[in-house]
């Protein structure tokens, strides 16, 4: 039964011999920068509730093999692997765990792990979690979890020969590959499982052309991961998916959300073509924080919030509330749309043509001309 559950649980798979390894020099840098005297990573692993871990990750041990190919010991990393025969499972089972600890500015450590598992030479992303570790106490971290970027943003399938049905499955269940460094995280989507075994094809024309996938980098700032560009600078104008999930939770939004850059939507169908739509969008402020706007279709009102570093604060009074309310009251049939850089007010005229009535552009401080 366990093997059957494993086979049905993993929808996206990759070659199991592709276990992510630290970049050259990262292990030595991690030890030199933090220089802990204890095996921090192993301490964390031993304190993780076994109910949190995939079944194949519950009995792992640090590899102490001393040979030319062994990884240098890093007390901040724990990267064990396991064969099914070692834990009384199908011999074709293979799994591994990547766990890494990062120092917190408030003291202690933030530990992240990502697990991968599969059968008969294939394995894929299984699960990931985060914890805080201080003075021997391990507590789950539910806010600053690992980023899970939208696969649609990371992939270019315009020249791929992969069928669209498969592309949609990748979007629904991305096969994330996390590589941990001492102060950096790299995230990509591994698609090599799609060509598993194709090395035996004699005709290269029959080989599958995979989508191009980007690798995104995130720097550790002592509290969380911040996405950075090739030069190591924070990526401006984009709100991370981790922040969007924090906002969604604070707003008590439904679970089934369609996340887009800097926002998310939720559709609730009521039959006969009727539906309600919840839209939330974040707009970057000049000071580095965000203005978050919440709107439900059928409602001429909006709610606004300020968001920064995990805290969402409702704005009780703002001149834009009154301006928008008066405009909607004076234009019967008008409806609101939250677009990339503005709050747009539109209406469908008697001929069925949509017309724009107002475009309150976001200027980094307010919508419209308000300061």
């Amino acid at each position: 039964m366990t093997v059957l559950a494993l086979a049905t649980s993993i929808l996206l798979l990759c070659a199991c011999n592709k276990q992510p390894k630290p970049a050259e020099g990262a292990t030595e840098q991690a030890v030199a920068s933090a220089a802990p005297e204890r095996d921090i990573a192993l301490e964390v692993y031993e304190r993780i509730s076994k109910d949190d871990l995939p079944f194949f990750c519950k009995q792992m041990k640090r590899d102490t093999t001393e040979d030319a190919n062994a990884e240098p010991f890093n007390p901040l990393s724990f990267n064990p692997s396991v064969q099914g025969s070692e834990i009384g499972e199908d011999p074709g089972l293979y799994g591994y765990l990547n766990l890494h600890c990062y120092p917190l500015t408030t003291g202690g450590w933030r530990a992240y792990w990502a697990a991968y598992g599969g059968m008969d030479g294939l394995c894929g992303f299984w699960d990931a979690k985060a914890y805080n570790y201080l003075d021997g106490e391990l507590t789950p971290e539910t806010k600053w979890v690992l980023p899970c970027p939208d696969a649609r943003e990371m992939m270019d399938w315009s020249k791929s020969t992969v069928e669209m049905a498969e592309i949609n499955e990748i979007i629904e269940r991305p096969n994330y590959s996390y590589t941990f460094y001492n102060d950096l995280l790299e995230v990509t989507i591994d698609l090599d499982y799609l060509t598993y075994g194709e090395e035996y094809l004699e005709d290269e024309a029959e080989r599958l052309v995979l989508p191009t996938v980007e690798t995104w980098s995130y720097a550790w700032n002592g509290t969380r991961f911040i996405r950075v560009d090739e030069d190591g600078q924070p990526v401006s104008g984009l709100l991370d998916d981790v922040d969007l999930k924090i906002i969604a939770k604070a707003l008590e939004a439904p679970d089934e959300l369609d996340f887009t850059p800097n926002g998310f939507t939720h559709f609730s169908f009521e039959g006969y073509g009727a539906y309600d739509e919840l839209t939330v969008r974040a707009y970057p402020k000049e000071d580095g924080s965000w203005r978050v706007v919440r709107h439900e279709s059928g409602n001429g009102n909006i709610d606004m919030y300020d968001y920064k570093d995990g805290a969402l604060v409702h704005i009780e009074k703002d001149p834009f509330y009154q301006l928008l309310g008066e405009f909607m009251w004076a234009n019967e049939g008008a409806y609101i749309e939250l677009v990339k850089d503005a709050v747009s007010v539109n209406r469908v005229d008697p001929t069925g043509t949509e017309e724009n009535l107002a475009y309150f552009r976001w200027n980094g401080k307010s919508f419209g001309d308000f300061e």
Side-chain angles (χ1 to χ4, degrees):
M1 291 295 292
T2 300
V3 173
L4 290 176
L6 174 63
T8 57
S9 295
I10 303 177
L11 300 181
L12 295 177
L13 302 173
C14 60
C16 267
N17 60 4
K18 293 187 63 181
Q19 180 172 351
K21 297 292 184 182
E24 183 178 357
T27 298
E28 292 80 0
Q29 292 171 9
V31 176
S33 62
E37 297 179 356
R38 313 188 316 265
D39 192 341
I40 301 295
L42 187 59
E43 288 182 23
V44 168
Y45 171 76
E46 290 175 344
R47 286 166 171 77
I48 295 174
S49 170
K50 295 304 180 278
D51 292 337
D52 284 1
L53 294 166
F55 73 91
F56 54 86
C57 292
K58 297 182 179 183
Q59 303 177 34
M60 291 178 154
K61 298 180 180 180
R62 185 180 285 281
D63 185 1
T64 57
T65 304
E66 295 183 5
D67 57 46
N69 297 319
E71 289 291 325
F73 169 70
N74 180 358
L76 302 184
S77 291
F78 182 55
N79 306 296
S81 61
V82 65
Q83 296 284 349
S85 57
E86 299 171 352
I87 55 175
E89 298 287 346
D90 190 306
L93 168 68
Y94 178 79
Y96 62 91
L97 180 75
N98 285 341
L99 185 154
H100 198 93
C101 301
Y102 295 85
L104 290 164
T105 55
T106 54
W109 307 86
R110 170 74 47 70
Y112 293 95
W113 63 257
Y116 302 81
M119 298 291 295
D120 300 325
L122 292 175
C123 64
F125 174 69
W126 190 284
D127 199 2
K129 283 186 169 58
Y131 303 85
N132 297 315
Y133 185 52
L134 178 64
D135 297 332
E137 294 292 329
L138 188 73
T139 56
E141 171 62 40
T142 58
K143 177 179 288 186
W144 301 120
V145 295
L146 284 175
C148 297
D150 191 326
R152 287 168 292 194
E153 297 182 58
M154 303 184 75
M155 290 194 306
D156 178 4
W157 56 84
S158 59
K159 298 180 181 180
S160 170
T161 56
V162 177
E163 294 184 0
M164 201 60 211
E166 185 71 48
I167 296 293
N168 290 332
E169 288 188 21
I170 295 170
I171 291 172
E172 289 294 322
R173 292 278 307 243
N175 190 30
Y176 292 114
S177 177
Y178 294 97
T179 304
F180 298 103
Y181 301 91
N182 61 307
D183 57 0
L184 192 72
L185 169 71
E186 288 185 345
V187 184
T188 189
I189 298 174
D190 195 338
L191 302 181
D192 285 355
Y193 67 92
L194 292 172
T195 58
Y196 186 71
E198 284 198 357
E199 62 269 21
Y200 301 108
L201 291 176
E202 295 183 0
D203 187 357
E204 289 196 12
E206 297 180 9
R207 298 179 188 273
L208 204 61
V209 179
L210 298 178
T212 302
V213 182
E214 298 178 357
T215 296
W216 289 6
S217 297
Y218 296 80
W220 176 251
N221 72 353
T223 301
R224 61 165 299 182
F225 289 111
I226 301 292
R227 189 180 168 197
V228 294
D229 59 23
E230 294 180 353
D231 298 322
Q233 298 301 312
V235 176
S236 61
L238 288 176
L239 193 62
D240 191 84
D241 70 285
V242 175
D243 292 283
L244 289 175
K245 291 171 184 175
I246 292 172
I247 292 171
K249 184 176 180 180
L251 294 177
E252 298 181 346
D255 293 333
E256 298 298 326
L257 298 174
D258 182 15
F259 286 95
T260 56
N262 292 357
F264 55 84
T265 58
H266 173 74
F267 289 93
S268 176
F269 293 94
E270 300 176 352
Y272 302 103
Y275 67 90
D276 287 328
E277 179 184 1
L278 166 68
T279 305
V280 176
R281 181 175 283 275
Y283 300 83
K285 298 180 67 176
E286 291 180 346
D287 63 2
S289 62
W290 296 81
R291 175 63 48 84
V292 176
V293 182
R294 180 185 187 277
H295 171 66
E296 292 187 50
S297 62
N299 184 342
N301 300 320
I302 63 172
D303 282 302
M304 295 194 297
Y305 306 80
D306 279 335
Y307 175 80
K308 187 175 183 179
D309 297 335
L312 187 71
V313 180
H314 185 247
I315 300 174
E316 298 291 342
K317 296 182 180 180
D318 187 284
F320 185 59
Y321 281 134
Q322 182 176 352
L323 173 64
L324 184 62
E326 292 176 351
F327 194 89
M328 296 297 293
W329 179 82
N331 292 275
E332 185 178 356
Y335 59 91
I336 294 171
E337 285 189 327
L338 306 182
V339 295
K340 180 179 179 181
D341 60 351
V343 172
S344 178
V345 181
N346 305 312
R347 182 172 58 189
V348 177
D349 65 20
T351 66
T353 302
E354 183 178 61
E355 58 176 334
N356 179 255
L357 302 179
Y359 200 79
F360 299 104
R361 190 177 298 277
W362 175 250
N363 63 16
K365 295 181 180 179
S366 64
F367 292 100
D369 297 328
F370 295 107
E371 291 294 338

